[in-house]
């Protein structure tokens, strides 16, 4: 693909801190190479802002290769931008055309308070994992790999759920700001594997209550999460989560 | 708090109540439609169907009370869930674009649901709780549907039911946890067909009366 340069108008959400009012500010950017990633494009803009003695746009990022889950913003109304199965860092400017106006907003959810500009606090997802996204393993020598038979298909399905990078796109794209895909992927992954059996019932309950407590919304099966998830995690994991919930309600010894 | 209360008060518990009651309403819609189609066998056939239904006595009262209880559960949980969902995103996006998951039906569930509730009240007032002393149900029905505005509204509400059911059926199965590569595609198709049959079936009645 041949490199081109395009000019863009960006309308970026600027908010100095958690409790101040934010607004969309317009920036013009010329000579944007179409080989740049979206984040590199913001880097270029930030250099210009710094030279002009303005505050650069704060945004989260780390690996820039689509595996860490740190990056993410809502680009023109779509989480991680218009490409499917793509994180924001892997979105390239060749998907935009000369003269485009692009609105860039942070993830919006009560459970993801804005820290600054495009940076939001996603520790709610960590709290969900702390509530139940773990297993108990006995200490001692490691068991023989073949001692625990797991059918390939089951292992694959668990791996599909485990592909979650915790970016929070599911919450941001959900019309109800629900964390069901994130939580469902974890519950499903561990419910599929023998290692997850020890806390099977406790896990579902703790995770559901943590989700509710943190102010995540309620899934109404809009399927936007599945459509935006950079790892294409299926909502069948949400169904397994629902199933595990009912099962736990009847099987759990808790009164 | 005991586990039942905690279960029923949690997000998934509430949605599962929505799902189960919603599916029960689908069964009701089916029987209601089958009954209504007696109208095509003529006035007498329809009135005798109504009489037969009433002659079931206590059974019909139990069914009515069950439906009323389910409606209460469905509506009250819907209100709680909608409010909680609105609170979950206090600031809206300046621009929001679907990535392809939601449908017109799924995005309008609270609205079609409210329309159905309004219609239900109206429908019960004009038919069930109307003065039956010297009029049969057929008379009441023909009388109200003879008014094209009423018939128009009736059809509009039926379309709302169709939309609600279009998303509701598969959504209910998903919420209960019944999702499997083998039968989920079937459930989706069945849900769509069901919504089409319900819409066409119920809407055909005022149409034939108005056009007669
Ligand atoms: S920066 Fe790591 S996934 Fe985008």
């Amino acid at each position: 693909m041949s490199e081109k340069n395009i000019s863009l108008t960006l309308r970026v959400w600027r908010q100095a801190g958690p409790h101040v009012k934010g607004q969309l500010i317009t920036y013009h950017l010329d000579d944007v190479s179409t080989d740049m990633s979206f984040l590199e494009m913001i880097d270029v803009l930030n250099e210009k802002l710094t030279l002009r003695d303005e505050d650069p746009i704060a945004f989260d990022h780390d690996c820039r290769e689509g595996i860490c889950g740190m990056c993410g913003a809502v680009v023109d109304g779509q989480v991680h931008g218009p490409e499917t199965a793509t994180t924001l860092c892997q979105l390239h400017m060749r998907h935009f055309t000369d003269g485009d106006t692009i609105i860039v907003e942070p993830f919006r959810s009560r459970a993801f308070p804005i820290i600054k500009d495009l940076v939001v606090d996603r520790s709610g997802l960590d709290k969900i994992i702390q509530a139940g996204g773990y297993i108990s393993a006995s200490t001692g020598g490691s068991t023989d790999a073949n001692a625990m038979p797991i059918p390939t298909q089951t292992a694959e399905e668990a791996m599909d759920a485990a592909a979650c990078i915790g970016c929070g796109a599911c919450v941001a794209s959900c019309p109800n700001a629900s964390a069901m895909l994130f939580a469902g992927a974890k519950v499903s992954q561990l419910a599929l594997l023998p290692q997850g059996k020890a806390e099977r019932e406790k896990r579902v309950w703790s995770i559901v209550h943590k989700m509710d407590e943190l102010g995540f919304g309620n899934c109404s099966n809009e399927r936007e999460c599945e459509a935006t998830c950079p790892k294409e995690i299926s909502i069948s994991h949400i169904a397994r989560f629902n199933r595990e919930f009912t099962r736990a309600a009847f099987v759990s010894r808790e009164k | 708090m005991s586990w039942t209360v905690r279960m029923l008060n949690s997000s998934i518990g509430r949605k599962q109540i929505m799902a189960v009651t919603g599916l029960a309403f689908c069964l009701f819609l089916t029987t209601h439609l089958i009954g209504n189609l007696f109208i095509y066998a003529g006035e007498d056939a329809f009135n005798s169907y109504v009489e037969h239904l009433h002659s079931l006595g206590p059974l019909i009262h139990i069914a009515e009370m069950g439906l009323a209880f389910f409606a209460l559960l469905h509506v009250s949980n819907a209100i709680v869930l909608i409010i909680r969902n609105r609170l979950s995103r206090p600031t809206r996006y300046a621009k929001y674009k679907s990535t392809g998951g939601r449908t017109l039906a799924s995005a309008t569930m609270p609205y079609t649901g409210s329309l159905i509730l309004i219609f239900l009240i109206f429908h019960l007032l004009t038919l069930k709780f109307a003065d039956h002393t010297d009029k049969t149900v057929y008379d009441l029905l023909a009388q109200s549907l003879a008014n094209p505005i009423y018939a128009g509204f009736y059809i509009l509400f039926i379309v709302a039911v169709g939309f609600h059911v279009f998303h509701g059926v598969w959504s209910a199965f998903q919420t209960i946890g019944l999702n499997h590569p083998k039968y989920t595609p079937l459930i989706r198709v069945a849900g769509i067909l069901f919504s089409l049959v319900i819409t066409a079936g119920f809407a055909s009645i005022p149409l034939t009366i108005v056009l007669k």
Side-chain angles (χ1 to χ4, degrees):
Chain A
M1 203 176 292
S2 65
E3 190 199 348
K4 275 201 314 201
N5 282 351
I6 55 173
S7 299
L8 297 169
T9 304
L10 295 161
R11 298 187 62 213
V12 186
W13 185 262
R14 303 302 311 265
Q15 181 171 332
H19 303 296
V20 293
K21 239 180 85 98
Q23 57 175 326
L24 288 170
I25 304 278
T26 307
Y27 301 98
H28 294 283
L29 198 57
D30 294 325
D31 289 331
V32 177
S33 157
T34 50
D35 282 351
M36 278 183 198
S37 74
F38 200 86
L39 298 188
E40 283 164 341
M41 184 272 297
I42 300 183
D43 287 335
V44 171
L45 174 62
N46 274 345
E47 272 167 32
K48 296 209 161 135
L49 292 179
T50 313
L51 288 176
R52 292 205 311 240
D53 254 351
E54 286 177 43
D55 202 18
I57 301 162
F59 65 96
D60 258 331
H61 62 109
D62 190 9
C63 70
R64 296 210 179 192
E65 53 184 7
I67 54 169
C68 76
M70 267 312 275
C71 64
V74 180
V75 177
D76 258 347
Q78 287 180 302
V79 176
H80 288 306
E83 285 292 288
T84 52
T86 309
T87 53
L88 190 62
C89 59
Q90 288 295 297
L91 175 69
H92 285 84
M93 299 314 292
R94 66 181 82 101
H95 299 296
F96 297 90
T97 31
D98 195 34
D100 273 357
T101 300
I102 308 170
I103 299 180
V104 191
E105 283 182 272
F107 287 179
R108 294 197 187 280
S109 153
R110 179 154 72 110
F112 288 171
I114 294 179
I115 298 172
K116 190 181 179 191
D117 299 337
L118 304 176
V119 181
V120 297
D121 177 2
R122 284 169 291 178
S123 58
L125 299 183
D126 301 332
K127 290 183 187 134
I128 290 177
I129 296 299
Q130 283 159 6
Y134 56 83
I135 59 158
S136 293
S138 323
T139 52
S142 57
T143 43
D144 185 74
N146 297 324
M148 211 180 267
I150 304 169
T152 317
Q153 241 188 349
T154 311
E156 287 293 337
E157 213 178 335
M159 191 55 221
D160 286 345
C164 171
I165 53 174
C167 64
C170 43
V171 177
S173 64
C174 175
N176 310 317
S178 164
M180 283 293 279
L181 191 63
F182 172 81
K186 191 48 71 191
V187 169
S188 180
Q189 177 208 335
L190 297 177
L192 282 163
L193 301 174
Q195 288 92 336
K197 294 289 179 277
E199 289 91 4
R200 190 169 172 188
E201 292 85 28
K202 211 176 118 210
R203 171 178 308 116
V204 191
W205 279 91
S206 318
I207 286 187
V208 172
H209 293 306
K210 187 50 84 181
M211 261 185 353
D212 293 352
E213 177 196 312
L214 292 169
F216 288 104
N218 309 279
C219 171
S220 59
N221 302 319
E222 300 262 25
R223 300 181 299 153
E224 285 294 325
C225 54
E226 184 183 61
T228 27
C229 176
K231 298 300 156 187
E232 300 187 293
I233 293 174
S234 157
I235 57 164
S236 63
H237 297 291
I238 296 183
R240 184 171 290 105
F241 184 16
N242 290 332
R243 211 150 60 220
E244 286 292 313
F245 174 83
T246 320
R247 186 189 163 276
F250 290 102
V251 172
S252 148
R253 285 178 175 266
E254 243 182 288
K255 292 227 178 72
Chain B
M1 232 187 332
S2 78
W3 70 269
T4 15
V5 177
R6 279 200 297 152
M7 174 185 178
L8 299 179
N9 191 34
S10 70
S11 54
I12 301 186
R14 282 182 183 273
K15 287 181 296 183
Q16 290 186 336
I17 295 175
M18 296 293 288
V20 171
T21 51
L23 288 178
F25 293 139
C26 287
L27 284 181
F28 164 72
L29 280 176
T30 314
T31 55
H32 190 29
L33 178 61
I34 293 172
N36 279 11
L37 292 179
F38 273 99
I39 210 153
Y40 289 110
E43 184 175 342
D44 294 335
F46 184 74
N47 280 332
S48 88
Y49 153 69
V50 174
E51 258 164 50
H52 270 104
L53 209 55
H54 287 165
S55 68
L56 290 175
L59 274 183
I60 207 78
H61 290 300
I62 293 171
E64 278 175 351
M65 277 177 339
L67 279 173
F69 178 61
F70 274 22
L72 199 71
L73 283 178
H74 198 80
V75 172
S76 59
N77 271 303
I79 294 172
V80 173
L81 291 171
I82 291 168
I83 292 175
R84 285 190 187 168
N85 283 347
R86 291 288 137 96
L87 293 176
S88 297
R89 178 162 297 135
T91 326
R92 318 242 114 217
Y93 287 112
K95 183 172 180 186
Y96 179 83
K97 200 167 145 214
S98 164
T99 305
R102 68 201 314 210
T103 59
L104 183 60
S106 75
T108 53
M109 289 302 269
Y111 310 111
T112 48
S114 312
L115 284 178
I116 294 167
L117 182 63
I118 295 169
F119 174 67
L120 189 68
I121 295 169
F122 189 62
H123 191 55
L124 289 175
L125 287 180
T126 49
L127 290 174
K128 185 167 168 53
F129 299 113
D131 182 9
H132 285 203
T133 38
D134 47 45
K135 284 195 189 97
T136 64
V137 174
Y138 185 89
D139 292 336
L140 288 168
L141 189 70
Q143 193 186 10
S144 53
L145 288 180
N147 179 348
I149 298 177
Y150 181 89
F153 269 111
Y154 182 92
I155 293 170
L156 185 84
F157 284 112
I158 293 305
V159 172
V161 173
F163 270 92
H164 206 72
V165 167
F166 182 96
H167 178 67
V169 171
W170 90 267
S171 180
F173 279 97
Q174 163 82 4
T175 301
I176 297 169
L178 295 174
N179 177 312
H180 195 278
K182 267 189 211 153
Y183 55 73
T184 296
L186 274 178
I187 292 174
R188 301 203 72 141
V189 173
I192 293 168
L193 283 180
F194 181 70
S195 74
L196 290 176
V197 169
I198 289 291
T199 314
F202 279 109
S204 73
I205 296 164
L207 277 180
T208 38
I209 290 188
V210 168
L211 299 177
K212 203 155 72 179

